Amino acid sequence: MAQTFKGKPGDLIEIFRKDYQHWAVYIGENEVVHLVNEGGDSSGSSELLSSNGKVKIEKFADVVGNDRHQVNNLLDEKYKARKRNVIVEEACEMVGHEYTVDTYNCAHFATEMRYGKAESRQFKGKPGDLIQIFRDGPYQHWAVYIRENEVVHFTTDGGDSSGSSELLSSNGKVKREKITDVVGNHRYQVNNLLDEKYDARKPMTIVKEACEMMDSELQYNVATYNSKHFAIEMRYGKAESRQVKGKPGDLIKIFRDGPYQHWAVYIGGQEVVHFTTDGGDSSGSSELLSSNGKVKIEKFADVVGNDRHQVNNLLDDMYKARMPMTIVKEARDMMDSELQYNVDTYNSEHFATEMRYDKAESRQFNGKPGDLIKIFRDGPYQQWAVYIGENEVVHFTTDGGQSSGSSELLSSSTGKVKREKLTDVVGNHRHQVNNLLDDIYKAREPSIIVEEACEMVGREYTVDTYNCAHFAIEMRYGKAESRQFKGKPGDLIEIFRGPYQHWAVYIGENEVVHFTTEGDQSSGSLESLSSRAEVKREKLTDVVGNHRFKVNILLDKSRKAREPSVIVKEACAMVGRELSYNVATYNCEHFAVEMRYGKAESRQFKGKPGDLIEISRWGYQHWAVYIGENEVVHLVNEGGLLSCASSNPGSSNGKVLRQKFANVVSNDRYQVNNLLDDSRKARDPSVIVKEACVMVGRELQYDIVSYNCEHFATEMRYGKANSWQVFKALFTGFSAVGVSAVGVSVATVAKCVSK
């Protein structure tokens, strides 16, 4: 019986690479989320000691590759695992995030998702070091490491040390806490940022003074005294922070939560002049599209709030700035002026640039109805929408209405056309007008684009064949350019299902003919190993479902393909035929190849009599000797389990069986692996087959360490028993199997038992 993958969503998967273990979080539907290093290396190469890493969602089979793997919720006895839906939801939200692998690797990520803390993240700091913690917001939190996994840090009322942005101005307190409690789930690093500028005090002085400050209550202000000021003061004896280095007359760009940036003119003395909407919105909310506005003088800290900011004299390369005193004077003179605010014609950026350059200009959204909007999400994908005017867009989005930043799934979801506010769709992401095919196609009239887009609202599509870019392009140009299937009648289509590929013959008009098992969901389910099957004619989109596919005329270099008309005619003539399906002798690939080339062939099993077959089970390999005619001889343990790692490890009764190759392999991955041919001379195939057949029915003493299925197989091929998986287990610590001899012959280990 084949052991199939038994993981549940939220489980951690340990994958045994060549020199290390890789970890992933299983989220269901044959998909995992995991942290990989640069280049997306998830196929077995050792991870770099120090490089950038990125969180990805990928197919389980693609990540595991040919490597052994197991479910390993390694800290369940130490910590309580979070709810499965929480683990899966948070893991998916992390997709696209980047980390530095030396301080946070795949194991840290996986344990953090399941338990809410990255237990294995060892801290390498020394007493007196400054710790920079990357919060969710635009600010970093800072702490002083003192010893024994403890830090001293300055934090606002409420003891917020789990990641929220600190308040702009409030009461703060110096606290001594565990670094793991302060860091929480956030990335961090040692950063003694001013060591090149100042001499750090002695570690014992830093630690002593930091501890003496414990429980001190101080006035917290993001600009004048924050967690960074405190940490720097402890290490160097002076408080310093990267405050605004602006000069009077400079423009300040403030990054609000919404899609817009707020702008102000710095006039000195920690004050700014800015143009803001009714209600004095200067604390971070997105500005209204059109309303009454007023020019105000306010404290810089009050206008910035908790938002990131920078000096940005954005047009200095284009225009000559006026004298600082002129800018400041004119800005002050504008105080309390009431103006009509409009995001397109006169907003805070227009006002600021007018003060500095004597002309109003803005790089805010200037789109026109019918324009295509490209939105840069956090992940590798861009969202596209059609602007229809009045701050509204029509766009195609995945189930759940992910329109605020989450990357659309590559497959396995349905999408829907929606009409929403531009600001709601854009969220906090960068965006631009991008009529990308205007040089190739003539855009339709704006009124037609808008009208047709609005008529499409509510329509549903399958994402793999039609995504947001296709929709937007189709609305503007009347054709979804990227949605074209490039196959020709007679071509073979390779469809990537789970760990297997399905094959079909394209016959034109978006239809294929393919050979599929009884009850087989032709949108992606794994085909049975051996069963009755039928040739069917179906829509390509129905067969492909949400899976990746490509044209693959795989034998054209070695075979002459028949005429397309002949291929199509013969394929159609086969529709409705019921045939015996077998993964080794006649599968969907055999059928497709036979239709195109007139001869059935598959890149499935190509072993020769006497070859050893390695079958990848759950957490171990099973071995068998191929004797020809789709048959193998192999040793199984008590109860006939096809296992080299019984549920009752140690010694038990074993029996040599002769069975059909397909029945032994079942749905498991396998390969020909004559593993010792480089160091041993294999016996003649006829001798191997003869001796293996002679052993059929023998009952032997089966022992996981001294004589298992691999020992039997190698003894048949080479005349001497060996087991490399036991050798690796003993010397790499993969499992505690004890110290037993490896490579013991049948004569000294196997005990024959009469039937």
PDB file of all heavy atoms in Angstrom, residues 224-255:
ATOM      1  N   THR A 224      12.226  64.319  18.921  1.00  0.00           N
ATOM      2  CA  THR A 224      13.238  64.816  19.854  1.00  0.00           C
ATOM      3  C   THR A 224      13.795  63.767  20.800  1.00  0.00           C
ATOM      4  O   THR A 224      14.932  63.858  21.229  1.00  0.00           O
ATOM      5  CB  THR A 224      12.663  65.974  20.681  1.00  0.00           C
ATOM      6  OG1 THR A 224      11.498  65.511  21.388  1.00  0.00           O
ATOM      7  CG2 THR A 224      12.270  67.137  19.770  1.00  0.00           C
ATOM      8  N   TYR A 225      13.015  62.755  21.158  1.00  0.00           N
ATOM      9  CA  TYR A 225      13.547  61.712  22.038  1.00  0.00           C
ATOM     10  C   TYR A 225      12.699  60.448  21.885  1.00  0.00           C
ATOM     11  O   TYR A 225      11.622  60.323  22.463  1.00  0.00           O
ATOM     12  CB  TYR A 225      13.573  62.145  23.504  1.00  0.00           C
ATOM     13  CG  TYR A 225      14.545  61.314  24.321  1.00  0.00           C
ATOM     14  CD1 TYR A 225      15.909  61.572  24.264  1.00  0.00           C
ATOM     15  CD2 TYR A 225      14.107  60.254  25.099  1.00  0.00           C
ATOM     16  CE1 TYR A 225      16.823  60.803  24.985  1.00  0.00           C
ATOM     17  CE2 TYR A 225      15.004  59.472  25.822  1.00  0.00           C
ATOM     18  CZ  TYR A 225      16.360  59.756  25.756  1.00  0.00           C
ATOM     19  OH  TYR A 225      17.263  58.988  26.467  1.00  0.00           O
ATOM     20  N   ASN A 226      13.210  59.503  21.106  1.00  0.00           N
ATOM     21  CA  ASN A 226      12.507  58.249  20.871  1.00  0.00           C
ATOM     22  C   ASN A 226      13.395  57.070  21.263  1.00  0.00           C
ATOM     23  O   ASN A 226      14.450  57.248  21.876  1.00  0.00           O
ATOM     24  CB  ASN A 226      12.058  58.163  19.409  1.00  0.00           C
ATOM     25  CG  ASN A 226      13.216  58.304  18.436  1.00  0.00           C
ATOM     26  OD1 ASN A 226      14.303  57.773  18.672  1.00  0.00           O
ATOM     27  ND2 ASN A 226      13.004  59.037  17.343  1.00  0.00           N
ATOM     28  N   SER A 227      12.970  55.862  20.918  1.00  0.00           N
ATOM     29  CA  SER A 227      13.724  54.669  21.317  1.00  0.00           C
ATOM     30  C   SER A 227      15.142  54.677  20.755  1.00  0.00           C
ATOM     31  O   SER A 227      16.074  54.163  21.387  1.00  0.00           O
ATOM     32  CB  SER A 227      12.992  53.404  20.843  1.00  0.00           C
ATOM     33  OG  SER A 227      12.874  53.384  19.433  1.00  0.00           O
ATOM     34  N   LYS A 228      15.316  55.269  19.610  1.00  0.00           N
ATOM     35  CA  LYS A 228      16.646  55.331  19.004  1.00  0.00           C
ATOM     36  C   LYS A 228      17.539  56.325  19.742  1.00  0.00           C
ATOM     37  O   LYS A 228      18.721  56.058  19.981  1.00  0.00           O
ATOM     38  CB  LYS A 228      16.518  55.713  17.529  1.00  0.00           C
ATOM     39  CG  LYS A 228      17.814  55.667  16.743  1.00  0.00           C
ATOM     40  CD  LYS A 228      17.526  55.960  15.283  1.00  0.00           C
ATOM     41  CE  LYS A 228      18.781  55.966  14.464  1.00  0.00           C
ATOM     42  NZ  LYS A 228      18.527  56.345  13.068  1.00  0.00           N
ATOM     43  N   HIS A 229      16.965  57.504  20.114  1.00  0.00           N
ATOM     44  CA  HIS A 229      17.734  58.461  20.908  1.00  0.00           C
ATOM     45  C   HIS A 229      18.257  57.803  22.187  1.00  0.00           C
ATOM     46  O   HIS A 229      19.424  57.950  22.564  1.00  0.00           O
ATOM     47  CB  HIS A 229      16.860  59.659  21.302  1.00  0.00           C
ATOM     48  CG  HIS A 229      16.511  60.581  20.179  1.00  0.00           C
ATOM     49  ND1 HIS A 229      15.281  60.582  19.582  1.00  0.00           N
ATOM     50  CD2 HIS A 229      17.244  61.535  19.542  1.00  0.00           C
ATOM     51  CE1 HIS A 229      15.257  61.516  18.634  1.00  0.00           C
ATOM     52  NE2 HIS A 229      16.433  62.099  18.586  1.00  0.00           N
ATOM     53  N   PHE A 230      17.343  57.061  22.855  1.00  0.00           N
ATOM     54  CA  PHE A 230      17.720  56.418  24.112  1.00  0.00           C
ATOM     55  C   PHE A 230      18.850  55.417  23.902  1.00  0.00           C
ATOM     56  O   PHE A 230      19.849  55.412  24.643  1.00  0.00           O
ATOM     57  CB  PHE A 230      16.501  55.705  24.725  1.00  0.00           C
ATOM     58  CG  PHE A 230      16.847  54.865  25.914  1.00  0.00           C
ATOM     59  CD1 PHE A 230      17.039  55.448  27.159  1.00  0.00           C
ATOM     60  CD2 PHE A 230      17.010  53.485  25.792  1.00  0.00           C
ATOM     61  CE1 PHE A 230      17.377  54.671  28.266  1.00  0.00           C
ATOM     62  CE2 PHE A 230      17.353  52.702  26.886  1.00  0.00           C
ATOM     63  CZ  PHE A 230      17.530  53.299  28.125  1.00  0.00           C
ATOM     64  N   ALA A 231      18.711  54.549  22.899  1.00  0.00           N
ATOM     65  CA  ALA A 231      19.718  53.520  22.663  1.00  0.00           C
ATOM     66  C   ALA A 231      21.075  54.144  22.333  1.00  0.00           C
ATOM     67  O   ALA A 231      22.117  53.708  22.840  1.00  0.00           O
ATOM     68  CB  ALA A 231      19.261  52.609  21.520  1.00  0.00           C
ATOM     69  N   ILE A 232      21.065  55.169  21.502  1.00  0.00           N
ATOM     70  CA  ILE A 232      22.316  55.845  21.133  1.00  0.00           C
ATOM     71  C   ILE A 232      22.953  56.508  22.349  1.00  0.00           C
ATOM     72  O   ILE A 232      24.175  56.460  22.542  1.00  0.00           O
ATOM     73  CB  ILE A 232      22.048  56.868  20.011  1.00  0.00           C
ATOM     74  CG1 ILE A 232      21.730  56.130  18.702  1.00  0.00           C
ATOM     75  CG2 ILE A 232      23.216  57.823  19.829  1.00  0.00           C
ATOM     76  CD1 ILE A 232      21.272  57.018  17.577  1.00  0.00           C
ATOM     77  N   GLU A 233      22.117  57.109  23.185  1.00  0.00           N
ATOM     78  CA  GLU A 233      22.638  57.768  24.395  1.00  0.00           C
ATOM     79  C   GLU A 233      23.308  56.762  25.313  1.00  0.00           C
ATOM     80  O   GLU A 233      24.332  57.053  25.933  1.00  0.00           O
ATOM     81  CB  GLU A 233      21.500  58.475  25.122  1.00  0.00           C
ATOM     82  CG  GLU A 233      21.984  59.344  26.279  1.00  0.00           C
ATOM     83  CD  GLU A 233      20.879  60.189  26.865  1.00  0.00           C
ATOM     84  OE1 GLU A 233      19.699  59.920  26.576  1.00  0.00           O
ATOM     85  OE2 GLU A 233      21.190  61.120  27.622  1.00  0.00           O
ATOM     86  N   MET A 234      22.735  55.573  25.415  1.00  0.00           N
ATOM     87  CA  MET A 234      23.334  54.547  26.275  1.00  0.00           C
ATOM     88  C   MET A 234      24.689  54.095  25.720  1.00  0.00           C
ATOM     89  O   MET A 234      25.640  53.905  26.474  1.00  0.00           O
ATOM     90  CB  MET A 234      22.394  53.333  26.373  1.00  0.00           C
ATOM     91  CG  MET A 234      21.080  53.587  27.099  1.00  0.00           C
ATOM     92  SD  MET A 234      21.288  54.168  28.813  1.00  0.00           S
ATOM     93  CE  MET A 234      20.999  55.939  28.603  1.00  0.00           C
ATOM     94  N   ARG A 235      24.817  53.922  24.406  1.00  0.00           N
ATOM     95  CA  ARG A 235      26.054  53.387  23.842  1.00  0.00           C
ATOM     96  C   ARG A 235      27.148  54.436  23.695  1.00  0.00           C
ATOM     97  O   ARG A 235      28.323  54.159  23.944  1.00  0.00           O
ATOM     98  CB  ARG A 235      25.783  52.741  22.481  1.00  0.00           C
ATOM     99  CG  ARG A 235      27.035  52.087  21.874  1.00  0.00           C
ATOM    100  CD  ARG A 235      26.724  51.200  20.700  1.00  0.00           C
ATOM    101  NE  ARG A 235      27.933  50.624  20.121  1.00  0.00           N
ATOM    102  CZ  ARG A 235      28.549  49.532  20.520  1.00  0.00           C
ATOM    103  NH1 ARG A 235      28.049  48.871  21.543  1.00  0.00           N
ATOM    104  NH2 ARG A 235      29.643  49.083  19.938  1.00  0.00           N
ATOM    105  N   TYR A 236      26.741  55.662  23.293  1.00  0.00           N
ATOM    106  CA  TYR A 236      27.760  56.669  22.978  1.00  0.00           C
ATOM    107  C   TYR A 236      27.801  57.828  23.968  1.00  0.00           C
ATOM    108  O   TYR A 236      28.677  58.696  23.874  1.00  0.00           O
ATOM    109  CB  TYR A 236      27.515  57.222  21.569  1.00  0.00           C
ATOM    110  CG  TYR A 236      27.447  56.148  20.511  1.00  0.00           C
ATOM    111  CD1 TYR A 236      26.225  55.762  19.957  1.00  0.00           C
ATOM    112  CD2 TYR A 236      28.602  55.497  20.071  1.00  0.00           C
ATOM    113  CE1 TYR A 236      26.153  54.773  18.995  1.00  0.00           C
ATOM    114  CE2 TYR A 236      28.532  54.497  19.097  1.00  0.00           C
ATOM    115  CZ  TYR A 236      27.305  54.136  18.572  1.00  0.00           C
ATOM    116  OH  TYR A 236      27.239  53.152  17.631  1.00  0.00           O
ATOM    117  N   GLY A 237      26.827  57.887  24.879  1.00  0.00           N
ATOM    118  CA  GLY A 237      26.815  58.971  25.866  1.00  0.00           C
ATOM    119  C   GLY A 237      26.180  60.242  25.355  1.00  0.00           C
ATOM    120  O   GLY A 237      26.219  61.279  25.998  1.00  0.00           O
ATOM    121  N   LYS A 238      25.547  60.187  24.182  1.00  0.00           N
ATOM    122  CA  LYS A 238      24.865  61.359  23.631  1.00  0.00           C
ATOM    123  C   LYS A 238      23.695  60.894  22.772  1.00  0.00           C
ATOM    124  O   LYS A 238      23.788  59.902  22.052  1.00  0.00           O
ATOM    125  CB  LYS A 238      25.809  62.217  22.789  1.00  0.00           C
ATOM    126  CG  LYS A 238      26.477  61.496  21.646  1.00  0.00           C
ATOM    127  CD  LYS A 238      27.433  62.409  20.905  1.00  0.00           C
ATOM    128  CE  LYS A 238      28.669  62.665  21.770  1.00  0.00           C
ATOM    129  NZ  LYS A 238      29.601  63.582  21.128  1.00  0.00           N
ATOM    130  N   ALA A 239      22.597  61.589  22.908  1.00  0.00           N
ATOM    131  CA  ALA A 239      21.402  61.243  22.133  1.00  0.00           C
ATOM    132  C   ALA A 239      21.483  61.848  20.739  1.00  0.00           C
ATOM    133  O   ALA A 239      21.777  63.024  20.585  1.00  0.00           O
ATOM    134  CB  ALA A 239      20.151  61.741  22.845  1.00  0.00           C
ATOM    135  N   GLU A 240      21.266  61.032  19.746  1.00  0.00           N
ATOM    136  CA  GLU A 240      21.253  61.518  18.370  1.00  0.00           C
ATOM    137  C   GLU A 240      20.280  60.670  17.574  1.00  0.00           C
ATOM    138  O   GLU A 240      20.145  59.484  17.805  1.00  0.00           O
ATOM    139  CB  GLU A 240      22.658  61.415  17.758  1.00  0.00           C
ATOM    140  CG  GLU A 240      22.749  61.964  16.364  1.00  0.00           C
ATOM    141  CD  GLU A 240      24.189  62.058  15.880  1.00  0.00           C
ATOM    142  OE1 GLU A 240      25.013  62.633  16.595  1.00  0.00           O
ATOM    143  OE2 GLU A 240      24.451  61.554  14.774  1.00  0.00           O
ATOM    144  N   SER A 241      19.593  61.262  16.668  1.00  0.00           N
ATOM    145  CA  SER A 241      18.669  60.529  15.808  1.00  0.00           C
ATOM    146  C   SER A 241      18.634  61.205  14.455  1.00  0.00           C
ATOM    147  O   SER A 241      18.976  62.373  14.332  1.00  0.00           O
ATOM    148  CB  SER A 241      17.262  60.497  16.411  1.00  0.00           C
ATOM    149  OG  SER A 241      16.394  59.727  15.624  1.00  0.00           O
ATOM    150  N   ARG A 242      18.222  60.457  13.472  1.00  0.00           N
ATOM    151  CA  ARG A 242      18.145  61.035  12.131  1.00  0.00           C
ATOM    152  C   ARG A 242      16.909  61.922  12.042  1.00  0.00           C
ATOM    153  O   ARG A 242      15.883  61.539  11.506  1.00  0.00           O
ATOM    154  CB  ARG A 242      18.091  59.919  11.088  1.00  0.00           C
ATOM    155  CG  ARG A 242      19.413  59.207  10.931  1.00  0.00           C
ATOM    156  CD  ARG A 242      19.317  58.129   9.911  1.00  0.00           C
ATOM    157  NE  ARG A 242      18.472  57.040  10.393  1.00  0.00           N
ATOM    158  CZ  ARG A 242      18.229  55.936   9.712  1.00  0.00           C
ATOM    159  NH1 ARG A 242      18.744  55.780   8.515  1.00  0.00           N
ATOM    160  NH2 ARG A 242      17.463  54.988  10.202  1.00  0.00           N
ATOM    161  N   GLN A 243      17.008  63.097  12.602  1.00  0.00           N
ATOM    162  CA  GLN A 243      15.902  64.035  12.550  1.00  0.00           C
ATOM    163  C   GLN A 243      15.843  64.680  11.175  1.00  0.00           C
ATOM    164  O   GLN A 243      16.690  64.462  10.323  1.00  0.00           O
ATOM    165  CB  GLN A 243      16.084  65.098  13.624  1.00  0.00           C
ATOM    166  CG  GLN A 243      16.141  64.519  15.035  1.00  0.00           C
ATOM    167  CD  GLN A 243      16.102  65.585  16.067  1.00  0.00           C
ATOM    168  OE1 GLN A 243      15.460  66.590  15.872  1.00  0.00           O
ATOM    169  NE2 GLN A 243      16.777  65.366  17.171  1.00  0.00           N
ATOM    170  N   VAL A 244      14.814  65.471  10.984  1.00  0.00           N
ATOM    171  CA  VAL A 244      14.686  66.173   9.714  1.00  0.00           C
ATOM    172  C   VAL A 244      15.882  67.097   9.552  1.00  0.00           C
ATOM    173  O   VAL A 244      16.149  67.942  10.391  1.00  0.00           O
ATOM    174  CB  VAL A 244      13.393  67.008   9.683  1.00  0.00           C
ATOM    175  CG1 VAL A 244      13.291  67.749   8.361  1.00  0.00           C
ATOM    176  CG2 VAL A 244      12.199  66.112   9.868  1.00  0.00           C
ATOM    177  N   LYS A 245      16.594  66.906   8.460  1.00  0.00           N
ATOM    178  CA  LYS A 245      17.776  67.735   8.192  1.00  0.00           C
ATOM    179  C   LYS A 245      17.428  68.888   7.250  1.00  0.00           C
ATOM    180  O   LYS A 245      18.300  69.472   6.631  1.00  0.00           O
ATOM    181  CB  LYS A 245      18.876  66.869   7.567  1.00  0.00           C
ATOM    182  CG  LYS A 245      19.326  65.687   8.423  1.00  0.00           C
ATOM    183  CD  LYS A 245      20.010  66.130   9.688  1.00  0.00           C
ATOM    184  CE  LYS A 245      20.765  64.997  10.370  1.00  0.00           C
ATOM    185  NZ  LYS A 245      19.964  63.882  10.802  1.00  0.00           N
ATOM    186  N   GLY A 246      16.140  69.154   7.145  1.00  0.00           N
ATOM    187  CA  GLY A 246      15.703  70.164   6.203  1.00  0.00           C
ATOM    188  C   GLY A 246      16.113  71.577   6.598  1.00  0.00           C
ATOM    189  O   GLY A 246      16.366  71.887   7.766  1.00  0.00           O
ATOM    190  N   LYS A 247      16.137  72.442   5.585  1.00  0.00           N
ATOM    191  CA  LYS A 247      16.431  73.861   5.785  1.00  0.00           C
ATOM    192  C   LYS A 247      15.175  74.645   5.424  1.00  0.00           C
ATOM    193  O   LYS A 247      14.351  74.178   4.619  1.00  0.00           O
ATOM    194  CB  LYS A 247      17.608  74.281   4.902  1.00  0.00           C
ATOM    195  CG  LYS A 247      18.879  73.462   5.142  1.00  0.00           C
ATOM    196  CD  LYS A 247      20.011  73.884   4.237  1.00  0.00           C
ATOM    197  CE  LYS A 247      19.733  73.552   2.775  1.00  0.00           C
ATOM    198  NZ  LYS A 247      19.689  72.107   2.513  1.00  0.00           N
ATOM    199  N   PRO A 248      15.015  75.825   5.961  1.00  0.00           N
ATOM    200  CA  PRO A 248      13.845  76.642   5.602  1.00  0.00           C
ATOM    201  C   PRO A 248      13.708  76.755   4.086  1.00  0.00           C
ATOM    202  O   PRO A 248      14.691  77.009   3.371  1.00  0.00           O
ATOM    203  CB  PRO A 248      14.160  77.993   6.246  1.00  0.00           C
ATOM    204  CG  PRO A 248      14.994  77.642   7.443  1.00  0.00           C
ATOM    205  CD  PRO A 248      15.861  76.507   6.987  1.00  0.00           C
ATOM    206  N   GLY A 249      12.496  76.540   3.623  1.00  0.00           N
ATOM    207  CA  GLY A 249      12.233  76.578   2.192  1.00  0.00           C
ATOM    208  C   GLY A 249      12.199  75.209   1.543  1.00  0.00           C
ATOM    209  O   GLY A 249      11.750  75.068   0.395  1.00  0.00           O
ATOM    210  N   ASP A 250      12.666  74.171   2.259  1.00  0.00           N
ATOM    211  CA  ASP A 250      12.628  72.816   1.716  1.00  0.00           C
ATOM    212  C   ASP A 250      11.197  72.278   1.697  1.00  0.00           C
ATOM    213  O   ASP A 250      10.360  72.659   2.519  1.00  0.00           O
ATOM    214  CB  ASP A 250      13.492  71.873   2.553  1.00  0.00           C
ATOM    215  CG  ASP A 250      14.977  71.998   2.237  1.00  0.00           C
ATOM    216  OD1 ASP A 250      15.303  72.548   1.170  1.00  0.00           O
ATOM    217  OD2 ASP A 250      15.800  71.541   3.049  1.00  0.00           O
ATOM    218  N   LEU A 251      10.954  71.360   0.765  1.00  0.00           N
ATOM    219  CA  LEU A 251       9.666  70.685   0.712  1.00  0.00           C
ATOM    220  C   LEU A 251       9.759  69.348   1.433  1.00  0.00           C
ATOM    221  O   LEU A 251      10.741  68.616   1.276  1.00  0.00           O
ATOM    222  CB  LEU A 251       9.234  70.453  -0.736  1.00  0.00           C
ATOM    223  CG  LEU A 251       9.151  71.689  -1.642  1.00  0.00           C
ATOM    224  CD1 LEU A 251       8.512  71.326  -2.977  1.00  0.00           C
ATOM    225  CD2 LEU A 251       8.397  72.816  -0.965  1.00  0.00           C
ATOM    226  N   ILE A 252       8.745  69.041   2.209  1.00  0.00           N
ATOM    227  CA  ILE A 252       8.694  67.797   2.970  1.00  0.00           C
ATOM    228  C   ILE A 252       7.623  66.898   2.366  1.00  0.00           C
ATOM    229  O   ILE A 252       6.459  67.292   2.239  1.00  0.00           O
ATOM    230  CB  ILE A 252       8.365  68.052   4.460  1.00  0.00           C
ATOM    231  CG1 ILE A 252       9.252  69.154   5.034  1.00  0.00           C
ATOM    232  CG2 ILE A 252       8.480  66.755   5.250  1.00  0.00           C
ATOM    233  CD1 ILE A 252      10.729  68.844   5.012  1.00  0.00           C
ATOM    234  N   LYS A 253       8.022  65.701   1.990  1.00  0.00           N
ATOM    235  CA  LYS A 253       7.105  64.709   1.449  1.00  0.00           C
ATOM    236  C   LYS A 253       6.760  63.731   2.567  1.00  0.00           C
ATOM    237  O   LYS A 253       7.649  63.116   3.166  1.00  0.00           O
ATOM    238  CB  LYS A 253       7.746  63.970   0.276  1.00  0.00           C
ATOM    239  CG  LYS A 253       6.858  62.940  -0.394  1.00  0.00           C
ATOM    240  CD  LYS A 253       7.624  62.274  -1.544  1.00  0.00           C
ATOM    241  CE  LYS A 253       6.769  61.270  -2.292  1.00  0.00           C
ATOM    242  NZ  LYS A 253       7.526  60.610  -3.378  1.00  0.00           N
ATOM    243  N   ILE A 254       5.470  63.587   2.851  1.00  0.00           N
ATOM    244  CA  ILE A 254       5.017  62.738   3.957  1.00  0.00           C
ATOM    245  C   ILE A 254       4.207  61.581   3.367  1.00  0.00           C
ATOM    246  O   ILE A 254       3.248  61.797   2.626  1.00  0.00           O
ATOM    247  CB  ILE A 254       4.158  63.548   4.948  1.00  0.00           C
ATOM    248  CG1 ILE A 254       4.945  64.773   5.425  1.00  0.00           C
ATOM    249  CG2 ILE A 254       3.714  62.682   6.119  1.00  0.00           C
ATOM    250  CD1 ILE A 254       4.075  65.872   6.002  1.00  0.00           C
ATOM    251  N   PHE A 255       4.597  60.356   3.707  1.00  0.00           N
ATOM    252  CA  PHE A 255       3.976  59.163   3.134  1.00  0.00           C
ATOM    253  C   PHE A 255       2.787  58.728   3.989  1.00  0.00           C
ATOM    254  O   PHE A 255       2.945  58.154   5.054  1.00  0.00           O
ATOM    255  CB  PHE A 255       5.002  58.034   3.021  1.00  0.00           C
ATOM    256  CG  PHE A 255       6.148  58.358   2.112  1.00  0.00           C
ATOM    257  CD1 PHE A 255       7.244  59.069   2.576  1.00  0.00           C
ATOM    258  CD2 PHE A 255       6.105  57.991   0.776  1.00  0.00           C
ATOM    259  CE1 PHE A 255       8.297  59.382   1.739  1.00  0.00           C
ATOM    260  CE2 PHE A 255       7.161  58.303  -0.072  1.00  0.00           C
ATOM    261  CZ  PHE A 255       8.256  59.004   0.408  1.00  0.00           C
TER     262      PHE A 255
END
